[in-house]
Amino acid sequence: MVRITNMKDLIGIIKDKLSLSKLTLLSNPKTSYLHIAVLRTTSHSPSTPPNDHHLATILSLGDSSRATASTIIHSLITRLHRTTNSHVALKCLLTIHHIIKRGPFILKDHLRILPSTKGRNNLKLSSFRDGTSPATWALSAWVRWYARYIETILFTSKNMDFDIYSSLIEKEKQRDFISSGMNSDLIRDVGLLVGVIEEICKVPDNLLVERDRLVRGVMELLGNDYLSMVNGILFRLGEFKERVGLLSFNDSVELGSVLDRLTACKEKSLRLFSVRKISVETLWEMIEELNSKIGVGGVSQLGLVTGL
């Protein structure tokens, strides 16, 4: 049962009921059920994450046809752009995040059609503000940051040869692909994955993580994303361990720069995700090892180039 804590919550619930009634009476019967599914998943109920059943419904409906997938994404993005409510906006972004992580291909493909500006304001929420209360004002910072993060993973997904949330079967294929990949392509991929971790580390610092269930839901997804990025980077750095003696000077410099960016995220990421994983510990150890080898190789190659 929804707990109503203030007048705005009550107004939001009334708005949802009116919207449901309007969709039932006035919308095209062939598509109204899709808009209703989006509305129920992104209700005004404060601090309540999208219901698992409602999310599952959207993911299932989105796998039926391209027309259906298009309608769902359009309805979701329209609701995101029209709302001034921080809770609704966060729920829309959470739903998009779930679609990217575990949605059917045709549903994810319609998200990929969104205009690409290298992860910058594709979702047009950089100026989002909900000034209803101090709490919603603070939550607005999460909306703006979360939109940037979603834009970043959409951009990364578009520019990687593999899904950044690969299944076990895909990871085996990915290993084979990586072993035959060019150095420049692998460095590019590592840079893209590091970019996702960099954006994770820009998450707003405030007490909402403890108080707000929606924010806690976001952090749970981020924790899983972080481990996915770590594993993707490990695959590629493992290949570079095999090739380190064969890297050109330029490749060594570019790889070293990417590893420096990742190292700069270490302290913040360890604070955000306190649970220790073997993959994470292995990553930092591998970075130290590669930096050491690249440094020695880079100096010797520099000497050859400059004639010293």
Side-chain angles (χ1 to χ4, degrees), residues 27 80 90 120 137 147 169 228 252 263 271 278 295:
S27 295
L80 178 62
L90 267 184
R120 297 180 181 178
W137 184 261
I169 295 175
S228 293
S252 296
T263 301
R271 287 204 313 269
I278 293 177

Side-chain angles (χ1 to χ4, degrees), residues 3-44:
R3 182 184 176 189
I4 300 173
T5 58
N6 57 45
M7 184 57 70
K8 186 186 179 186
D9 294 346
L10 177 60
I11 292 173
I13 292 170
I14 293 172
K15 281 184 177 180
D16 286 344
K17 290 185 179 296
L18 289 174
S19 296
L20 283 169
S21 298
K22 182 178 178 181
L23 284 170
T24 302
L25 293 173
L26 302 178
S27 295
N28 183 338
K30 294 182 179 180
T31 59
S32 62
Y33 70 101
L34 301 175
H35 299 295
I36 289 171
V38 169
L39 187 62
R40 286 175 173 164
T41 307
T42 61
S43 68
H44 281 78

Side-chain angles (χ1 to χ4, degrees), residues 7 24 40 59 177 199 247 294:
M7 184 57 70
T24 302
R40 286 175 173 164
L59 298 181
F177 183 84
E199 196 59 54
L247 293 177
I294 289 171

Side-chain angles (χ1 to χ4, degrees), residues 62-246:
D63 200 23
S64 57
S65 71
R66 296 197 69 84
T68 298
S70 176
T71 299
I72 289 173
I73 295 302
H74 180 266
S75 180
L76 189 56
I77 296 299
T78 299
R79 183 153 172 81
L80 178 62
H81 287 163
R82 287 180 178 175
T83 189
T84 58
N85 183 289
S86 54
H87 292 103
V88 172
L90 267 184
K91 289 182 185 184
C92 289
L93 292 170
L94 270 165
T95 303
I96 292 171
H97 198 169
H98 279 287
I99 290 172
I100 298 170
K101 285 178 70 71
R102 56 192 182 95
F105 172 78
I106 56 176
L107 196 56
K108 290 193 284 189
D109 196 43
H110 276 83
L111 276 176
R112 291 163 64 93
I113 297 173
L114 290 174
S116 175
T117 53
K118 296 187 177 180
R120 297 180 181 178
N121 205 29
N122 300 17
L123 297 176
K124 298 178 173 57
L125 292 179
S126 60
S127 60
F128 183 90
R129 300 288 188 282
D130 181 353
T132 306
S133 69
T136 59
W137 184 261
L139 203 59
S140 296
W142 280 82
V143 171
R144 295 191 299 274
W145 167 80
Y146 198 21
R148 290 198 307 272
Y149 178 70
I150 294 295
E151 290 160 1
T152 299
I153 57 177
L154 280 171
F155 176 76
T156 301
S157 297
K158 288 178 182 179
N159 288 276
M160 294 277 292
D161 293 308
F162 279 87
D163 190 335
I164 59 176
Y165 303 114
S166 298
S167 66
L168 289 175
I169 295 175
E170 290 171 328
K171 284 177 181 176
E172 290 303 318
K173 293 180 181 178
Q174 196 173 163
R175 283 192 179 96
D176 294 337
F177 183 84
I178 288 169
S179 65
S180 61
M182 295 179 63
N183 291 338
S184 57
D185 292 336
L186 297 185
I187 293 171
R188 176 207 63 198
D189 287 355
V190 173
L192 287 168
L193 296 172
V194 169
V196 176
I197 293 179
E198 287 175 324
E199 196 59 54
I200 288 175
C201 289
K202 294 175 185 176
V203 62
D205 287 318
N206 56 47
L207 299 176
L208 285 176
V209 178
E210 299 298 328
R211 299 198 310 260
D212 194 289
R213 288 178 60 197
L214 269 176
V215 173
R216 290 203 300 272
V218 172
M219 289 303 299
E220 288 175 9
L221 289 182
L222 288 184
N224 293 329
D225 282 7
Y226 175 66
L227 292 178
S228 293
M229 300 311 114
V230 166
N231 288 328
I233 293 170
L234 272 176
F235 286 159
R236 290 157 179 83
L237 295 191
E239 181 63 27
F240 278 122
K241 276 185 65 177
E242 302 295 323
R243 304 184 187 186
V244 69
L246 304 174

